[in-house]
Amino acid sequence: MASVILPDLGTEILIPVCAIIGIGFSLLQWLLVSKVKLVPGPAASNNSGAAGKNGYGDYLIEEEEGLNEHNVVLKCAEIQNAISEGATSFLFTEYQYVGIFMVAFAILIFVFLGSVEGFSTKSQPCTYDPLKMCKPALATAGFSTVSFVLGAVTSVVSGFLGMKIATYANARTTLEARKGVGKAFIIAFRSGAVMGFLLAANGLLVLYITINVFKLYYGDDWEGLFESITGYGLGGSSMALFGRVGGGIYTKAADVGADLVGKVERNIPEDDPRNPAVIADNVGDNVGDIAGMGSDLFGSYAESSCAALVVASISSFGINHEFTPMLYPLIVSSVGIIICLITTLFATDFFEIKAVKEIEPALKNQLIISTILMTIGVAIVSWVALPSSFTIFNFGTQKVVKNWQLFLCVAVGLWAGLIIGFVTEYYTSNAYSPVQDVADSCRTGAATNVIFGLALGYKSVIIPIFAIAVSIFVSFSFAAMYGIAVAALGMLSTIATGLAIDAYGPISDNAGGIAEMAGMSHRIRERTDALDAAGNTTAAIGKGFAIGSAALVSLALFGAFVSRASISTVDVLTPKVFIGLIVGAMLPYWFSAMTMKSVGSAALKMVEEVRRQFNTIPGLMEGTAKPDYATCVKISTDASIKEMIPPGALVMLTPLIVGIFFGVETLSGVLAGSLVSGVQIAISASNTGGAWDNAKKYIEAGASEHARSLGPKGSDPHKAAVIGDTIGDPLKDTSGPSLNILIKLMAVESLVFAPFFATHGGLLFKIF
């Protein structure tokens, strides 16, 4: 075999150094955000440099309009504090419940995997090479449990830190909006970057350290080593499931309640401080879109790395103990962090945003620049870190692969991600005809709006599915299942930029809410609305990425599972597999039904409470009395904690029940079925919801002649648009995004438990 240009020592330095640079960069961004003070300063200092950057002077709008700056800043600080406290207390409550689950599941992993060899501590013949001796199954059980806990903790920490920085930056973004839209954009974007880089770097560093520590015990048994690492992906995704479902139910219960009573019944603007549910709504943006999204993408990242490592460990890299090629997936991610760092500077330092219309292009350029640079980065990595030719395990045989073929696998995933992102943007941004058609259909009421919105969602599935299909075909033809795993990794290699763009959305949404609640002038609200509309589209792009990568990741995990469970072929014509297929395809519907109903019932309680307050608190509509925000926050918290358990249990228990009672063939059918139907529902739900939301914003902004003919706020078409937006809320923020976790999580869980299912599974078929 040809040797590798990059020495092992180089790999051992490169990966941790890139991770540390990522962490350092995120701390630097945080420092820059913290320079905006939330304490009132002397007004005089703001008048210097009147014709500054961004086409605005640095003077404050308040001074022109005679508003008291001192009160505004204090009000912003007070609101920010309330949002931060609400989000922190919710996450702590959620993590207590999730912690109990984590301990129980860790014990389950240990018992099930340990029982494979009857808890013996003797070395066993290896699964793939019976001539060699491998470490006992009990060791794999122990180490899988440890890596599961590590993955879970890293996932939780990623989500929590993201939420902290978002609640730290929201009021600062509002205050910067007084100086101009460019300043506010930079603060929101930098804060998003803090989360993106922290998460990407932490995920990489923890995984790298875990591999090295486990290696001290496993030595040359790389097959066992990387099998036990799969627990890391399982831990990451199981926490993400609860974060996404719990956070999604929380945020949408508050949002639907606030919109229905506030906008439709009482005719008060969005985020009006008189609305009792308004704080809960803003807290929800942070726990669902930020903490949930962070855990979700971390889970994808961990799983695609694990899937690639498992397949590589039984290929020539693992058999010949070639350390650098073995860690190729981690090297790609390390280079990704550096590429994203350069890309971020384009948005914050190289170019200034001067006008509202430049916001969306700036965010889109982030995706394009990072993809182009990453393609070059991956080419270099494939050249220095891989031998010119090697073999990859392909269902029992070894397939010869060249290094340029593996480069193409990563590149095809990377560019498929970009295509999915742009198609999502086309279908959800109000700059293009699909959303404008949906807005136009509001003329004849809510029913036509709903029909048009659903049709848009179904149609938006077509191109992403073709993109995923092409990348699967290309990568599988070149490098079998390993190709698909690295294609998923390619899609996620620019995760730091993707998350920065994604976290930017909820931060600007909160900034707009704070501006409205603090009673700032309508010009500031216009600026924050412009930031928010761009944020809505980028959030949809982020969801597109998450779903596309989930499809590839779960397919790669599925391949690893089939290899590990020693299934030679998955034959759809055998009844065992077909029943699994049809049941698996039903699961996303069952799961969506649970999450939608949870949002509906929680929103019902919220609507009743908001109505009660408007009817019983004297002076609330006049603005002389304060609403009781805390009760609404409590309703959302209680509902989401209670309601996240059944959908979570459905996803976590299905692979266990199917594997134990029906065996690995049926389970392979279930995984394939859930993957195929889950991806379609996830994309259509996310895009339908995003389109309805932006159709409403299109009418509210009234930026074009067409939009003005539908408006203003409070008109009949606007009310129809609000109803569409309300229906879309649980689709785009609860059911849609949680489905990608469903397909990944079932696959990674099956992979972790594969040795157990292969030896002890299929009880029912053994009886009959």
Side-chain angles (χ1 to χ4, degrees), residues 262-295:
K263 289 188 195 166
V264 179
E265 291 178 13
R266 294 280 168 167
N267 254 346
I268 58 177
E270 186 160 2
D271 296 319
D272 190 296
R274 292 171 291 179
N275 193 331
V278 68
I279 293 281
D281 185 7
N282 280 302
V283 169
D285 289 335
N286 293 300
V287 296
D289 293 348
I290 298 254
M293 185 72 190
S295 293

Side-chain angles (χ1 to χ4, degrees), residues 486-509:
V486 293
L489 209 72
M491 205 178 271
L492 292 165
S493 58
T494 52
I495 184 172
T497 296
L499 264 170
I501 293 175
D502 211 43
Y504 156 86
I507 292 171
S508 356
D509 191 353

Side-chain angles (χ1 to χ4, degrees), residues 60 282 377-378 528 611:
L60 303 180
N282 280 302
V378 174
T528 55
R611 278 183 187 151

Side-chain angles (χ1 to χ4, degrees), residues 504-520:
Y504 156 86
I507 292 171
S508 356
D509 191 353
N510 262 208
I514 292 173
E516 182 75 53
M517 285 186 268
M520 291 180 152

Side-chain angles (χ1 to χ4, degrees), residues 538-555:
T538 56
I541 292 175
K543 290 182 187 116
F545 259 90
I547 296 163
S549 62
L552 291 175
V553 167
S554 58
L555 186 60

Side-chain angles (χ1 to χ4, degrees), residues 641-702:
I641 297 291
K642 188 171 117 251
E643 302 279 4
M644 75 180 180
I645 294 167
L650 173 73
V651 179
M652 299 301 291
L653 295 178
T654 302
L656 292 176
I657 292 168
V658 174
I660 292 168
F661 292 110
F662 299 95
V664 284
E665 280 100 340
T666 311
L667 181 54
S668 64
V670 169
L671 295 179
S674 65
L675 165 64
V676 167
S677 84
V679 173
Q680 329 288 336
I681 307 176
I683 296 175
S684 64
S686 293
N687 291 350
T688 294
W692 275 328
D693 193 346
N694 274 342
K696 174 202 72 176
K697 288 225 165 54
Y698 174 74
I699 295 175
E700 287 176 352

Side-chain angles (χ1 to χ4, degrees), residues 209-245:
I209 292 170
T210 310
I211 290 172
N212 278 311
V213 170
F214 284 14
K215 214 163 124 219
L216 298 175
Y217 169 79
Y218 277 102
D220 280 350
D221 175 15
W222 285 20
E223 184 190 300
L225 164 64
F226 290 104
E227 192 175 299
S228 58
I229 290 285
T230 51
Y232 186 69
L234 177 62
S237 256
S238 50
M239 296 303 107
L241 175 73
F242 292 107
R244 259 299 195 201
V245 174

Side-chain angles (χ1 to χ4, degrees), residues 12-140:
E12 284 166 23
I13 296 169
L14 177 74
I15 297 175
V17 164
C18 288
I20 290 161
I21 290 174
I23 294 170
F25 183 70
S26 68
L27 294 176
L28 171 71
Q29 297 296 323
W30 183 74
L31 197 73
L32 292 167
V33 171
S34 67
K35 287 205 169 124
V36 180
K37 293 288 176 260
L38 272 182
V39 286
S45 66
N46 294 314
N47 287 330
S48 57
K53 291 177 175 174
N54 299 326
Y56 295 96
D58 260 6
Y59 58 81
L60 303 180
I61 292 181
E62 274 92 352
E63 290 165 19
E64 290 172 58
E65 305 195 351
L67 289 166
N68 183 344
E69 193 233 357
H70 190 271
N71 291 351
V72 168
V73 179
L74 288 179
K75 198 88 194 281
C76 282
E78 181 193 328
I79 297 162
Q80 180 208 15
N81 206 17
I83 294 173
S84 183
E85 276 173 17
T88 309
S89 77
F90 168 72
L91 286 179
F92 273 125
T93 314
E94 182 183 73
Y95 293 155
Q96 280 166 4
Y97 285 86
V98 168
I100 298 165
F101 156 80
M102 192 167 91
V103 172
F105 209 75
I107 294 168
L108 194 71
I109 293 175
F110 184 73
V111 171
F112 275 23
L113 292 182
S115 69
V116 172
E117 309 280 359
F119 295 100
S120 97
T121 50
K122 296 188 191 70
S123 291
Q124 301 293 336
C126 298
T127 317
Y128 300 100
D129 185 0
L131 303 174
K132 280 194 196 152
M133 294 305 279
C134 282
K135 297 285 191 247
L138 195 62
T140 305

